[in-house]
Amino acid sequence: MEFSIKSGNPEKQRKDCVVVGVFEARKLSAAAEALDRVSDGYLGNILRAGDLDGKPGSTLLLHSVPGVSAGRVLLVGLGKERELNERAYRQALRAAIKALGSLDVGDIATFLAEVPVKKRDVSWRVAQLVEVAEDSVYRFDRFKSKPAHSKKGIAKLQVHVPQRADVAAGEDGLKQGQALASGVSFAKDLGNLAPNYCTPTYLAEQAKALVKSHGLQVEVLEQADLEKLGMGSFLGVTKGSVQPPKLIVLQHKKGRKNQKPVVLVGKGITFDTGGISLKPGADMDEMKYDMCGAASVLGTFKTIAELGLPLNVVGIIPTCENMPDGNATRPGDVLTSMSGQTIEVLNTDAEGRLILCDALTYAERFEPQAVVDIATLTGACVIALGHHASGLFSNKDSLAEELLEAGNEAQDRAWHLPLWDDYQGQLDSNFADIANIGGRAGGSITAACFLSRFAKKYDWAHLDIAGTAWKSGKEKGATGRPVPLLTEFLKQRAGK
Ligand code: BES
Ligand code: MN
Ligand code: ZN
């Protein structure tokens, strides 16, 4: 989609469609009022007739409005004027894009970013519009032999700001929104890609391609390198797979030379069968999404590189498959992690923590200011929080606070769960230093407790995104979360 920022009169736009907001109680936005004026009260009459109530998300399409140059006018409900907050605004944007998507319109001017949203400026309003528009029109049709959609789709979206003086702020919002949308869309593509294409090798290639196009650095460690490093835990997971494992290390170096980096660690299981502790068959296809932590790291790197964010950031992605075969790790096997701690594998399906723990130890060499790992780690997290919030754990309250705040700001929320020592005992093993599962009670917490044993040397947080990284059912697909949260967190760390 091609965006542009402009300040102009709604009645004069020669477009397929102009989009303007209306509030509840028949109150018109400034742009709607301008159209009403040139059309001798045409819009007011329609509202009085009761065809649109103005609730957030309601829409009404008008054709050939007198005095208006555009062929169509889309009215979009914004709710009560005094109550127009971030949620209602986004709801209205989504509804507008959906309504436009069902029409055969390509060239559009929108005046929705003109309306005042509580506590939010022009730049924010434009960024949201871009983000929501790109998110709503996203399709993954790489494997469809025929296009599923016959409509031409929105090709050009002109975003109007209230005044000429607002154009610069609008341009800034456009830049922020586009950078975020491109990271989110990249993360969705990787998540949605079939697991016979999206292998650890493919992820490494994608990282290399990203680095080339975006001025980053990358190093890909191979099986032999992992052996030399003593990553026995990570290697235990890949043993049943014919796909070679990779450890991808990305670097974005745009901060001061001596600034300690923020490290992002993403779980990259490109398919999780459960291994010898095989998962049940129903919905097992969804375990292609078990690399969404990795995808969110790659997506976030894309975004911050496009923004040239002045910060040093390292991305570490342990990636492999979890498959059963004659070589696969068995329940009862003992693995020796890079940290030296031994692990009794009681369930080969608790593999995410086994690859992450070695990556967390590897992170120490970067002397990080903070480490955040992102993982589709536990089904229990979906039970606890559903699909709305990611689970958040941390060994440092102020870091948890920062991430919660970033999630709120980006509307990509997380919820803080406990990491108390009380739970650690559930990981006791009779045969090794630690077991890889802690029983059914508090499954997300004991998974986080497991990771915490490998994250003692720095400030660390863990995001369990099992419920937020993708949608099931009819709308099955990756969401690109938590790229918005991570981007916002890094922006704050960069002082932006
Ligand atoms: N990738 C899964 C977690 C998962 C399950 C995410 C369902 C989304 C939906 C993870 O590797 C896993 O299998 N975890 C086990 C842990 C258990 C064996 C302690 C789980 O959650 O069942
Ligand atoms: Mn598993
Ligand atoms: Zn998994």
Side-chain angles (χ1 to χ4, degrees), residues 19 56-59 74 76-78 84-101 110-115 117 124-134 136 154 157 159 411:
V19 184
S58 58
T59 58
L74 182 69
V76 181
L78 297 165
L84 181 53
N85 59 16
E86 297 160 14
R87 247 186 116 76
Y89 180 64
R90 278 175 75 104
Q91 204 181 341
L93 294 177
R94 257 183 216 292
I97 300 297
K98 188 165 171 231
L100 291 168
T110 160
F111 289 78
L112 292 178
E114 281 197 357
V115 298
V117 179
W124 183 89
R125 293 185 325 244
V126 172
Q128 293 292 307
L129 199 152
V130 173
E131 227 187 293
V132 170
E134 290 287 13
S136 311
I154 310 169
L157 194 56
V159 182
Q411 308 199 49

Side-chain angles (χ1 to χ4, degrees), residues 267 269 272 279 287 290 349 351-352 376-377:
K267 172 178 173 183
I269 295 290
D272 181 11
K279 285 181 180 295
M287 282 302 120
D290 214 16
D349 197 11
E351 85 298 338
T376 49
L377 203 63

Side-chain angles (χ1 to χ4, degrees), residues 180-244:
L180 182 52
S182 104
V184 165
S185 152
F186 185 38
K188 285 184 191 175
D189 279 348
L190 293 171
N192 288 328
L193 189 59
N196 55 330
Y197 290 79
C198 185
T199 59
T201 304
Y202 179 85
L203 285 181
E205 279 164 8
Q206 289 297 303
K208 285 179 189 160
L210 182 66
V211 155
K212 267 216 187 106
S213 60
H214 286 69
L216 304 162
Q217 289 177 22
V218 72
E219 190 188 358
V220 176
L221 307 191
E222 308 289 336
Q223 167 119 16
D225 304 314
L226 307 181
E227 280 162 10
K228 266 189 228 122
L229 285 164
M231 293 192 171
S233 185
F234 180 8
L235 289 165
V237 176
T238 189
K239 275 178 71 187
S241 170
V242 296
Q243 294 291 338

Side-chain angles (χ1 to χ4, degrees), residues 23-271:
F23 298 103
E24 278 180 45
R26 297 195 291 270
K27 172 92 176 51
L28 301 175
S29 66
E33 213 163 84
L35 297 184
D36 195 52
R37 229 177 292 124
V38 298
S39 64
D40 276 337
Y42 192 89
L43 269 57
N45 288 339
I46 285 173
L47 294 184
R48 263 189 297 281
D51 287 359
L52 184 72
D53 57 14
K55 291 230 159 44
S58 58
T59 58
L60 184 68
L61 183 71
L62 309 175
H63 281 263
S64 313
V65 177
V68 175
S69 306
R72 302 174 188 78
V73 173
L74 182 69
L75 302 181
V76 181
L78 297 165
K80 296 203 177 79
E81 188 172 16
R82 259 179 301 124
E83 288 171 16
L84 181 53
N85 59 16
E86 297 160 14
R87 247 186 116 76
Y89 180 64
R90 278 175 75 104
Q91 204 181 341
L93 294 177
R94 257 183 216 292
I97 300 297
K98 188 165 171 231
L100 291 168
S102 66
L103 305 172
D104 220 7
V105 293
D107 194 4
I108 292 153
T110 160
F111 289 78
L112 292 178
E114 281 197 357
V115 298
V117 179
K118 270 192 209 167
K119 293 191 260 177
R120 293 300 187 176
D121 58 12
V122 174
S123 166
W124 183 89
R125 293 185 325 244
V126 172
Q128 293 292 307
L129 199 152
V130 173
E131 227 187 293
V132 170
E134 290 287 13
D135 188 58
S136 311
V137 302
Y138 175 87
R139 299 279 177 282
F140 187 78
D141 45 20
R142 176 166 163 186
F143 297 122
K144 299 267 192 199
S145 5
K146 288 191 212 95
H149 299 268
S150 56
K151 302 284 189 291
K152 56 179 144 175
I154 310 169
K156 290 188 191 165
L157 194 56
Q158 195 174 66
V159 182
H160 284 254
V161 292
Q163 277 155 20
R164 225 172 262 282
D166 296 320
V167 170
E171 297 282 0
D172 175 64
L174 175 58
K175 183 177 148 204
Q176 306 287 329
Q178 276 184 316
L180 182 52
S182 104
V184 165
S185 152
F186 185 38
K188 285 184 191 175
D189 279 348
L190 293 171
N192 288 328
L193 189 59
N196 55 330
Y197 290 79
C198 185
T199 59
T201 304
Y202 179 85
L203 285 181
E205 279 164 8
Q206 289 297 303
K208 285 179 189 160
L210 182 66
V211 155
K212 267 216 187 106
S213 60
H214 286 69
L216 304 162
Q217 289 177 22
V218 72
E219 190 188 358
V220 176
L221 307 191
E222 308 289 336
Q223 167 119 16
D225 304 314
L226 307 181
E227 280 162 10
K228 266 189 228 122
L229 285 164
M231 293 192 171
S233 185
F234 180 8
L235 289 165
V237 176
T238 189
K239 275 178 71 187
S241 170
V242 296
Q243 294 291 338
K246 308 274 171 184
L247 186 82
I248 306 167
V249 184
L250 286 159
Q251 299 209 47
H252 168 96
K253 291 185 175 166
K254 288 281 163 66
R256 278 182 293 102
K257 205 159 186 333
N258 301 321
Q259 179 194 59
K260 292 179 168 182
V262 174
V263 177
L264 303 179
V265 179
K267 172 178 173 183
I269 295 290
T270 59
F271 196 78

